[in-house]
Amino acid sequence: MRIGFIARPVEDDFEFAALKEVPCLEFHFSSDLSALRRSAEIRGWKQKYETDISTVALFGRNYLAADEAERREHFAALRQVTDFAKAVGSPLVTTGGGLNPTHSREQSCERAAELFAEPIRYAESLGLKFAFYNCPWANFITGPEAWEPLLGQAFPTAGIKFDPSHPLHTGQDWSRQLADWGHRVYHAHAKDTLFIDGKPFEDVPAGLGEIPWGRFFALLYHHRYRGDINVEINGRTWSEGQMHYSGILLARHHLQQFIAPSGLATPSDFPI
């Protein structure tokens, strides 16, 4: 296992990673896809700073929208992101499953099984793995109720990008989820949450909030996880300027104690 962080597609983040000996980065996209046209430049930074790219993600796209034209737009964006992931040498592409409040869970699973068959096949044809993130942003594939019919049946080669803060926010037992489904985790995020009076107050760097990260790593080791763990920094205190980089370093310092010296692996070495 290696610890990296979610980066912006700018050279400063690659330079920071090299300076602080961070081995891997990841990229997130949502509405702004302009950086997808700069894959050659980003690949150059990757080589210059000797930094791997763990995964490329497309967030917030509602693939289950009622409007067919909107769905086509989102899946076209997913294909662009998949091509970008291949171009920059990422072994994995991640996204959500969409969300239609008029559908039951069963109906959403059936629809997703139809719609995602081609994107998953396309990613795998490029030599990439495909995972669904567990963030609820425009996404119903957040836990076992959806993982069982989709990952357990429809898509036996797809996996999960797991972030323990999301089930924590909604009162679910993230450790139970990870214990039961850790064998299908292809990528992990490290983001923490501070609770005040029993309610989420702010997202904070790993180690400053509620999540017992030793427990998290124990479950990853239990499942022989060999992927990367990328620090995610957001929240009003940590989102901008030097505090953003300070948050990355604070989180890495806390998490590094759980990395076994012999636990290093290549970013493409995912369980299946």
Side-chain angles (χ1 to χ4, degrees):
M1 287 188 273
R2 307 181 305 175
I3 297 174
F5 66 90
I6 299 173
R8 302 163 297 171
V10 297
E11 188 171 9
D12 284 353
D13 280 10
F14 280 88
E15 187 174 8
F16 173 78
L19 179 65
K20 299 301 182 180
E21 299 182 339
V22 177
C24 53
L25 305 175
E26 76 172 85
F27 295 118
H28 282 185
F29 298 98
S30 55
S31 57
D32 183 4
L33 302 181
S34 58
L36 299 181
R37 299 190 295 268
R38 296 167 38 230
S39 59
E41 181 181 32
I42 292 168
R43 188 169 59 247
W45 294 335
K46 174 187 170 183
Q47 295 167 350
K48 176 181 177 180
Y49 295 105
E50 299 180 341
T51 305
D52 289 327
I53 297 175
S54 303
T55 186
V56 176
L58 181 61
F59 270 66
R61 295 300 183 118
N62 189 4
Y63 302 104
L64 300 186
D67 182 71
E68 182 179 356
E70 181 182 347
R71 292 198 306 273
R72 284 200 302 267
E73 176 187 342
H74 295 324
F75 278 106
L78 179 58
R79 192 177 183 96
Q80 293 177 58
V81 168
T82 302
D83 288 337
F84 174 85
K86 176 65 176 180
V88 299
S90 169
L92 177 70
V93 61
T94 62
T95 195
L99 186 66
N100 190 324
T102 69
H103 287 178
S104 67
R105 177 80 62 177
E106 182 180 18
Q107 289 172 321
S108 294
C109 288
E110 290 174 354
R111 190 68 173 129
E114 296 172 1
L115 293 173
F116 280 96
E118 192 281 330
I120 292 173
R121 277 196 302 267
Y122 181 68
E124 293 177 347
S125 76
L126 298 179
L128 308 181
K129 294 189 181 297
F130 190 101
F132 294 98
Y133 58 70
N134 70 335
C135 173
W137 182 18
N139 178 34
F140 82 97
I141 308 175
T142 58
E145 298 83 1
W147 295 339
E148 181 57 44
L150 291 173
L151 304 183
Q153 300 175 39
F155 304 130
T157 59
I160 301 164
K161 184 209 72 66
F162 192 83
D163 180 335
S165 72
H166 296 306
L168 181 67
H169 268 267
T170 55
Q172 301 175 72
D173 186 348
W174 66 264
S175 58
R176 181 75 267 168
Q177 291 182 357
L178 192 54
D180 293 341
W181 285 90
H183 63 294
R184 297 300 292 275
V185 171
Y186 290 177
H187 188 63
H189 271 181
K191 181 170 87 272
D192 217 331
T193 299
L194 179 65
F195 277 59
I196 301 294
D197 296 328
K199 298 179 181 179
F201 178 75
E202 183 180 6
D203 286 340
V204 294
L208 300 186
E210 312 300 325
I211 295 170
W213 290 97
R215 185 181 182 90
F216 178 77
F217 275 84
L219 289 166
L220 293 180
Y221 282 117
H222 172 77
H223 288 289
R224 304 295 191 269
Y225 178 74
R226 295 176 181 270
D228 293 331
I229 299 163
N230 283 347
V231 169
E232 180 177 357
I233 299 296
N234 55 30
R236 57 187 177 274
T237 301
W238 303 94
S239 294
E240 302 295 335
Q242 189 58 42
M243 289 296 286
H244 180 77
Y245 286 125
S246 296
I248 292 170
L249 296 178
L250 279 169
R252 185 182 68 161
H253 177 74
H254 181 75
L255 300 174
Q256 195 66 45
Q257 65 183 307
F258 304 116
I259 300 295
S262 60
L264 299 178
T266 61
S268 60
D269 189 10
F270 294 102
I272 190 67

